[in-house]
Amino acid sequence: MPAILEHGETWSYQQLWAHISRAASAMLKAGISHGDRIAIWAPNRREWIVAAIAGQLTGAAIVPLNTRLKGQEASDIIRRTSAKALFTVKDFLGTNYPEMIAGEDLPSLSMTICFDSGWADFIATGSYDDEAVDQALNALNASDVSDIMFTSGTTGIPKGVLTTHDRIIPMFANWTQLVDLREGDPYLIINPFFHSFGFKAGFVAALLVGALVVPMAVFDVKKVITHIEQDRIAFIPGPPTIFQALLAELAGRSFDYSSLHSAMTGAATVPPSLIRRMHDELGFERVLTAYGMTECTNITSCVPGDSPELIANSCGKAIPGMEVRIADEEGNEAPRGETGEIHVRGYGVMLGYLDDPEATAEAIDPDGWLHTGDVGTMDENGYVRITDRKKDMYISGGFNCYPAEVEKLLANHPAIEMVAVIGVPDDRMGEVGKAFVVLRPGVTLTDSDLISWARDNMANYKVPRVVSFVERLPQNAAGKVVKTELRI
């Protein structure tokens, strides 16, 4: 059964296991063992998967590093986790990662192995049938820390999120059923492996169900189309921007998307029009939305049988084994339909933040509820609609304005391809909305026309007072719009 397809070469599941067990043997011989941490700083590639699973086999926790980090940022995480080994590359988009941390004080780091130069020599030190690997696997507990993923740090110093094996495996075994990821499905993983969407909902989910992993190091819509046509891709998850780019490309030329059957997307803003277009224009049989975060990778999801309208206007209900509630300002459960902070409780909630009991206690209350910092509502059937991040809300003329809600309304305009909204200072209103708009190919629109349309389609206090037309929106490696760059 094929497991990974990369650069035209396919590894079977048997071959993948052979690579993993040999790499685990090499790690054990190099002194990596239960309780250690290993950092991985590289783009999506098959060696990333091998190193991650091999490290976990030894009992170590993996520390994924964002490929856009600078040397000082990466070094801080390596120090804070006491990572013993770093697996990286010397060349990715012109960046030499080992050079970026040269000269940094990293007392725990004893080895740096590059996938693109020293990896083959490293795994050659391991054995295919090493009893030490079997012993390490037998000593592994479900409650052991599997990974330490760091938050984006948009509201302060990035925090290390501690997750255990028994928080991941059951969650994504269920997830594969929800999204209809099938055995043998070619699964194009565009979401970066350093992110939960590419790691846990990515290759972990694929391996659990026996799908074929097709890793993609950098999002390029033309290369995505090549993969769809040549590799007969069946399943693609990702933020809305991925599918918006595919639809924009389809407007210019046709391509064979007949192999596609399922997609998963999610964000504070998923325009209903996008869901409809994914069904109608890209041929997806099933399009679902979901909601999660680093501290609890999957919180809610739509389920098979949900109506297109429900899927387009919510991020689903609590996944099996998890509880979700909307809380008011006092922390009490709010009546259905009212807006409040989203809280989640259950087996998927993180163990806590690395070496930060105060932040852990602030995030997880004594009753076990994780306070997500996201704002939303819940209907009578438990379906959640995300309004926005609490920190992104702005107040215009005394009214709370949630950018994600305004973005969703604006996205219904037939000329708009993508849109992002932020609050900007205003002498009279305190703050007003500013919309950054990417138009669909071949159409024109003026700011006054858009504002006029908005007045007809939303409450006046939600209408953006300023419009800026741009060719593209700034995005991070996970495909999310970076609003801090819009505020500059």
Side-chain angles (χ1 to χ4, degrees):
M1 181 185 298
I4 300 179
L5 171 61
E6 187 176 38
H7 306 310
E9 182 181 2
T10 301
W11 283 357
S12 67
Y13 271 85
Q14 184 176 13
Q15 288 173 308
L16 174 59
W17 174 249
H19 285 288
I20 290 170
S21 60
R22 192 178 190 190
S25 173
M27 289 181 187
L28 288 167
K29 291 178 180 179
I32 298 170
S33 61
H34 193 281
D36 287 334
R37 285 84 177 259
I38 65 168
I40 307 178
W41 196 16
N44 292 8
R45 54 190 294 158
R46 60 191 182 190
E47 292 88 355
W48 207 113
I49 299 172
V50 172
I53 300 176
Q56 291 175 332
L57 276 181
T58 70
I62 66 168
V63 182
L65 297 178
N66 189 319
T67 52
R68 298 195 180 186
L69 293 178
K70 302 302 181 184
Q72 190 172 5
E73 296 168 313
S75 297
D76 177 64
I77 292 174
I78 292 170
R79 273 192 301 272
R80 289 167 60 190
T81 56
S82 299
K84 183 177 284 188
L86 171 64
F87 296 89
T88 185
V89 292
K90 287 186 176 180
D91 184 20
F92 176 58
L93 301 179
T95 300
N96 185 316
Y97 291 108
E99 281 188 359
M100 291 178 70
I101 60 171
E104 292 282 346
D105 181 24
L106 303 170
S108 299
L109 190 65
S110 60
M111 69 185 81
T112 298
I113 308 298
C114 294
F115 292 141
D116 50 5
S117 59
W119 175 249
D121 291 338
F122 174 72
I123 62 171
T125 64
S127 304
Y128 286 112
D129 298 309
D130 190 343
E131 290 186 6
V133 175
D134 294 331
Q135 293 170 358
L137 180 57
N138 291 333
L140 193 62
N141 294 310
S143 59
D144 287 335
V145 175
S146 58
D147 60 272
I148 307 173
M149 303 190 77
F150 278 74
T151 61
S152 61
T154 55
T155 58
I157 297 173
K159 296 185 286 288
V161 175
L162 301 169
T163 305
T164 57
H165 295 284
D166 55 5
R167 284 168 164 82
I168 298 175
I169 302 303
M171 176 173 284
F172 288 97
N174 289 330
W175 187 84
T176 61
Q177 300 301 309
L178 289 172
V179 301
D180 195 27
L181 180 60
R182 310 166 189 170
E183 180 180 319
D185 271 351
Y187 176 0
L188 184 63
I189 306 183
I190 304 167
N191 303 303
F193 289 168
F194 65 73
H195 191 278
S196 294
F197 214 170
F199 167 25
K200 298 169 187 178
F203 68 79
V204 170
L207 299 183
L208 284 173
V209 79
L212 172 63
V213 173
V214 184
M216 190 170 191
V218 180
F219 175 68
D220 180 307
V221 66
K222 291 181 171 58
K223 290 182 180 178
V224 170
I225 291 170
T226 298
H227 280 298
I228 291 171
E229 293 186 316
Q230 294 185 358
D231 304 328
R232 307 300 296 160
I233 299 300
F235 178 64
I236 302 177
T241 49
I242 287 176
F243 303 105
Q244 288 164 330
L246 277 172
L247 287 164
E249 189 71 16
L250 185 61
R253 68 181 180 93
S254 61
F255 57 88
D256 181 6
Y257 50 76
S258 60
S259 60
L260 298 174
H261 69 69
S262 297
M264 168 66 80
T265 190
T269 305
V270 180
S273 58
L274 176 62
I275 303 297
R276 291 192 293 269
R277 295 184 69 199
M278 289 170 67
H279 274 296
D280 298 342
E281 298 176 40
L282 289 173
F284 284 107
E285 300 168 16
R286 179 180 296 182
V287 180
L288 297 180
T289 50
Y291 161 57
M293 59 194 305
T294 308
E295 290 87 343
C296 186
T297 311
N298 193 190
I299 296 173
T300 66
S301 176
C302 290
V303 298
D306 285 343
S307 69
E309 292 77 19
L310 183 59
I311 293 169
N313 288 284
S314 83
C315 56
K317 59 185 177 180
I319 65 170
M322 301 296 289
E323 300 174 80
V324 176
R325 71 178 185 183
I326 306 298
D328 60 22
E329 292 295 330
E330 287 72 42
N332 301 313
E333 185 168 5
R336 295 296 170 95
E338 291 194 6
T339 299
E341 184 179 11
I342 300 170
H343 291 180
V344 59
R345 181 169 67 181
Y347 71 92
V349 172
M350 67 174 178
L351 186 62
Y353 290 120
L354 174 70
D355 299 329
D356 199 339
E358 290 185 5
T360 300
E362 184 178 341
I364 304 175
D365 67 28
D367 293 325
W369 290 101
L370 171 66
H371 296 214
T372 67
D374 289 319
V375 176
T377 62
M378 181 185 291
D379 69 14
E380 306 78 28
N381 298 314
Y383 280 74
V384 174
R385 182 173 68 89
I386 299 175
T387 310
D388 221 319
R389 291 290 292 173
K390 288 177 71 174
K391 64 181 178 61
D392 285 341
M393 184 193 79
Y394 61 92
I395 301 175
S396 184
F399 291 95
N400 291 348
C401 294
Y402 298 102
E405 182 181 17
V406 180
E407 290 163 0
K408 185 171 289 188
L409 292 168
L410 290 174
N412 289 320
H413 192 290
I416 291 180
E417 186 70 50
M418 298 185 221
V419 60
V421 174
I422 63 172
V424 295
D426 181 79
D427 292 338
R428 187 172 66 89
M429 304 289 287
E431 289 180 290
V432 295
K434 179 177 181 179
F436 293 83
V437 176
V438 178
L439 295 175
R440 292 188 184 181
V443 301
T444 58
L445 184 67
T446 66
D447 55 353
S448 59
D449 286 342
L450 179 57
I451 291 172
S452 177
W453 180 91
R455 291 188 189 282
D456 292 336
N457 287 274
M458 64 185 77
N460 187 56
Y461 70 90
K462 299 178 185 178
V463 174
R465 288 349 191 232
V466 185
V467 177
S468 176
F469 294 101
V470 296
E471 292 186 2
R472 58 177 294 276
L473 297 174
Q475 298 172 27
N476 63 18
K480 294 183 179 180
V481 175
V482 182
K483 290 193 174 181
T484 51
E485 294 187 20
L486 296 178
R487 294 187 177 99
I488 297 174

